[in-house]
């Protein structure tokens, strides 16, 4: 058997797949409350309702606005502008420091509202550089958006794919809208399936973590779900979330009004069990609202209405450092609270080796070093200090460097492949050790060696003070 990624990190499965997570990808899964069976006990998520329109009409969906008494996808209490969304996200991060992920999941499709969605993502990336960004989509517009998603730092995408058969798709979707044209029936299904496949493959080829959501609909797609699991695994997706159809008459969906049955627990378990032979399955999904806030299984969205937003958000960097300490404590089992424990930053493209120049890094991985070992806490995104040959001298380079140093002010060392003289001096003057001796070496090995040396130096210092 070969390694196969699962909701709690790389594990083995029975399909003989060849996908292997990089260390960075494995840690991203482990710390994601919606992707990890263990992470959802420690970390919180937030959905921002900035995408009201949809380009696909699903027979199981009825989007409702200003609705606080239904808990299911497509329902929100308030629609947000991008600016309101980011202000609300900063307020939630203050109240819920376990917040690790912010996603856009509706109430329509984020990529059918591409201007609002990307404006929100851009603001989030600039103002909350340690937050994981996620997106959930039906996949219709995904092929056109992949490069922009990667550029902005979205590395978790969920695609809802319910079938591989255009005839079955015609029973699930009433219509789709693409390039100013409305399509129905089998033609709509063929278009959707082709674009879903293209988008998923493009994402996974670029290293983006893709989870597949499928709604289990008895008598329509239940007998073909094994084929879906097997195919999306071949396309590079790493996790399959098979969710039960919600079809109650009071929700006003087509399926709810025409009496389409929901699957019972036994049927859902049986389908998941069979699909698990070829694809890791997610079983802790709560089918959250499009404005859900808090730990998985709870929804605190009603605690954060727009009326509660402060006129001016608090500075985020102090909160970022507070959140880093908390997240380090969570992932280290409290060991990071010991006096000698510390945070360090690493410039690595894949998370396995230290291979990035300090000035070319657009993100740093933040690690906790403690008695618990070397543990990834999160990533912090930053504008590059150098933007190409000869571009480290313009007037704004000093400001960019100052921004990077402010972002890293709570770490004890920065590990990178190379670093220029000016940033080296600035790091040292800020009490941060620049480390290039581990260039092109394994991240965990380099950090472990540095941590052992730091501990030994601390013990020697204590001995000398005691002797004095």
């Amino acid at each position: 058997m070969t390694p196969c990624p699962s909701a709690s990190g790389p594990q083995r499965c029975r399909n003989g797949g060849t996908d292997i997570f990089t260390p960075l990808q494995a840690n991203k899964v482990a710390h994601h409350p919606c992707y990890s069976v263990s992470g959802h006990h420690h970390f919180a998520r937030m959905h921002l309702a900035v995408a009201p329109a949809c380009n696909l009409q699903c027979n199981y969906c009825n989007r409702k606005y200003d609705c606080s008494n239904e808990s299911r996808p497509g329902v929100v209490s308030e629609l947000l502008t991008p600016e309101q969304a980011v202000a609300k996200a900063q307020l939630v991060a203050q109240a819920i420091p376990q917040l690790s992920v912010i996603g856009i999941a509706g109430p329509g499709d984020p990529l059918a509202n591409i201007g609002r969605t990307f404006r929100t993502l851009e603001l989030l990336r600039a103002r909350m550089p340690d937050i994981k960004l996620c997106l959930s989509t039906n996949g219709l517009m995904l092929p056109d958006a992949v490069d922009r998603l990667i550029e902005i730092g979205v590395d978790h995408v969920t695609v809802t794919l319910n079938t591989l058969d255009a005839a079955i798709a015609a029973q699930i979707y009433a219509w789709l809208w693409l390039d100013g044209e409305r399509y129905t029936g089998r033609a709509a299904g063929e278009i959707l399936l082709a674009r879903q496949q293209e988008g998923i493959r493009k994402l996974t080829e670029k290293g983006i973590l893709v989870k597949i959501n499928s709604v289990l609909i008895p008598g329509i797609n239940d007998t073909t779900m094994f084929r879906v699991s097997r195919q999306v695994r071949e396309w590079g997706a790493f996790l399959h979330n098979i969710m039960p159809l919600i079809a109650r008459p009071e929700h006003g969906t087509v399926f709810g009004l025409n009496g389409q049955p929901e699957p019972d627990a036994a049927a859902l378990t049986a389908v998941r069990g069979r699909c698990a032979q070829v694809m890791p399955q997610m079983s802790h999904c709560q089918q959250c609202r499009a404005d859900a806030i808090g730990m998985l299984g709870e929804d605190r969205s009603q605690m954060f209405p727009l009326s509660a937003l402060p006129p001016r958000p608090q500075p985020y960097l102090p909160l970022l450092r507070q959140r880093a300490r908390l997240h380090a404590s969570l992932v280290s089992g409290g060991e990071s609270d010991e006096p000698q424990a510390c945070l360090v930053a690493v410039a690595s493209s894949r998370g396995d080796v230290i291979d990035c120049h300090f000035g070319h890094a657009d993100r740093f991985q933040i690690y906790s070093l403690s008695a618990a070992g070397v543990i990834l806490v999160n990533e912090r995104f930053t504008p590059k200090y150098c933007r190409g040959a000869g571009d480290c001298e313009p007037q704004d380079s000093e400001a960019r460097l100052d921004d990077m140093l402010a972002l890293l002010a709570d770490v004890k060392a920065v590990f990178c492949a190379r670093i220029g003289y000016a940033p080296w001096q600035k790091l040292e003057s800020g009490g941060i050790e620049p480390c290039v001796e581990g260039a092109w070496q394994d991240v965990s090995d380099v950090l472990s060696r540095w941590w052992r040396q730091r501990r030994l130096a601390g013990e020697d210092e204590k001995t000398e003070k005691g002797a004095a």
Side-chain angles (χ1 to χ4, degrees):
M1 293 183 294
T2 54
C4 166
S6 79
S8 56
Q11 293 184 351
R12 297 186 182 273
C13 70
R14 291 169 284 179
N15 72 319
T18 58
D19 293 11
I20 301 176
F21 276 0
T22 67
L24 183 58
Q25 288 174 324
N27 278 294
K28 286 179 179 179
V29 172
H31 298 165
H32 195 302
C34 305
Y35 284 26
S36 169
V37 72
S38 58
H40 80 278
H41 295 297
H42 304 297
F43 298 103
R45 87 308 191 202
M46 178 181 190
H47 292 169
L48 293 175
V50 298
C54 200
N55 47 18
L56 181 67
Q57 181 56 58
C58 307
N59 288 331
Y60 52 73
C61 180
N62 180 24
R63 300 187 303 281
K64 290 189 177 180
Y65 312 113
D66 193 22
C67 179
S68 61
N69 61 357
E70 291 183 19
S71 183
R72 58 182 177 84
V75 174
V76 299
S77 291
E78 295 174 319
L79 289 171
L80 308 174
T81 67
E83 290 73 21
Q84 290 171 333
V86 176
K88 187 170 183 176
Q90 291 184 263
L91 176 65
V92 170
Q94 289 179 320
I96 308 176
Q98 300 96 326
L99 180 69
S100 67
V101 173
I102 295 179
I104 301 177
D109 188 86
L111 300 182
N113 302 261
I114 201 160
R116 294 168 64 93
T117 292
F118 275 97
R119 173 61 176 164
T120 304
L121 293 174
E122 289 164 359
L123 290 172
L124 286 169
R125 179 53 69 227
R127 298 182 190 176
M128 303 178 72
D130 61 328
I131 285 288
K132 298 179 190 295
L133 298 182
C134 292
L135 189 85
S136 293
T137 177
N138 58 40
L140 181 60
M141 299 306 299
L142 189 54
D144 304 330
V146 169
D147 290 341
R148 289 186 69 183
L149 291 171
I150 293 170
E151 182 180 357
I152 211 163
V154 173
D155 48 22
H156 298 77
V157 175
T158 294
V159 181
T160 299
L161 189 152
N162 295 311
T163 182
L164 299 171
D165 188 315
I168 294 176
Q171 300 178 62
I172 299 174
Y173 310 109
W175 50 259
L176 69 76
W177 190 268
L178 179 65
D179 296 333
E181 297 289 337
R182 189 175 185 268
Y183 298 86
T184 61
R186 189 182 185 96
E190 290 173 348
I191 292 170
L192 177 63
L193 296 176
R195 292 183 66 82
Q196 287 174 327
Q197 175 181 350
E198 182 184 356
I200 292 168
R201 293 175 75 98
K202 279 186 173 182
L203 285 171
T204 58
E205 286 167 2
K206 299 280 189 170
I208 304 302
L209 297 172
V210 175
K211 173 170 69 75
I212 302 298
N213 279 357
S214 297
V215 179
L216 189 66
I217 310 168
I220 295 181
N221 69 352
D222 50 342
T223 61
T224 62
M225 199 55 67
F226 179 84
R227 183 179 163 219
V228 173
S229 268
R230 183 173 57 195
Q231 185 63 74
V232 296
R233 180 59 191 276
E234 291 180 7
W235 293 343
F238 82 102
L239 186 63
H240 195 185
N241 175 28
I242 301 174
M243 307 176 295
L245 171 71
I246 299 174
R248 293 158 203 167
E250 62 268 25
H251 294 159
T253 66
V254 171
F255 281 155
L257 295 174
N258 70 13
Q260 169 65 44
E262 301 176 350
D264 59 27
L268 179 63
T269 299
V271 171
R272 284 175 173 169
R274 184 160 184 253
C275 292
Q277 297 177 37
V278 294
M279 180 74 168
Q281 299 292 305
M282 178 179 177
S283 59
H284 63 280
C285 176
Q286 302 294 315
Q287 293 180 273
C288 303
R289 290 165 53 107
D291 58 3
I293 294 173
M295 309 293 282
L296 217 62
E298 70 173 9
D299 186 3
R300 297 170 61 180
S301 58
Q302 301 306 310
M303 298 173 58
F304 301 96
L306 283 175
S307 59
L309 294 182
R312 186 174 302 171
Q314 296 295 315
Y316 188 71
L317 282 179
L319 179 60
L320 177 147
R321 294 163 192 151
Q322 174 192 342
R323 285 161 39 77
R325 291 192 296 270
L326 173 64
H327 290 197
S329 183
L330 289 172
V331 298
S332 70
E335 296 285 357
S336 66
D337 300 328
E338 295 297 318
Q340 282 191 299
C342 65
L343 299 177
V344 298
V346 174
S348 171
S349 61
R350 287 170 44 91
D352 49 359
V353 297
I354 300 169
D355 60 356
C356 289
H357 189 298
F358 178 85
H360 299 162
D362 60 3
R363 68 183 76 184
F364 290 91
Q365 289 90 50
I366 306 299
Y367 285 85
S368 167
L369 306 185
S370 70
V374 176
I375 303 177
L376 181 68
V377 176
N378 59 24
E379 284 188 296
R380 296 179 187 174
F381 286 74
T382 178
K384 291 181 181 180
Y385 168 49
C386 295
R387 296 176 178 173
D391 191 34
C392 293
E393 299 300 330
Q395 291 183 343
D396 68 338
S397 66
E398 191 73 16
R400 293 203 301 266
L401 179 56
D402 288 341
D403 289 342
M404 291 179 71
L405 296 176
L407 188 68
L408 301 173
D410 57 338
V411 306
K412 294 299 183 183
V414 172
F415 295 81
C416 52
R418 292 181 62 193
I419 185 172
Y421 183 66
W424 182 294
Q425 283 191 312
K426 286 246 182 178
L427 285 172
E428 284 192 328
S429 65
I432 302 171
E433 180 182 349
C435 300
V436 295
E437 293 81 4
W440 302 102
Q441 297 178 41
D442 181 84
V443 170
S444 184
D445 290 346
V446 172
L447 298 190
S448 295
R449 287 198 303 268
W450 185 87
W451 169 242
R452 286 195 297 270
Q453 293 168 0
R454 175 181 169 85
R455 290 186 67 185
L456 288 173
E459 291 170 1
D460 290 344
E461 185 179 345
K462 285 183 181 178
T463 300
E464 291 176 3
K465 288 183 178 178

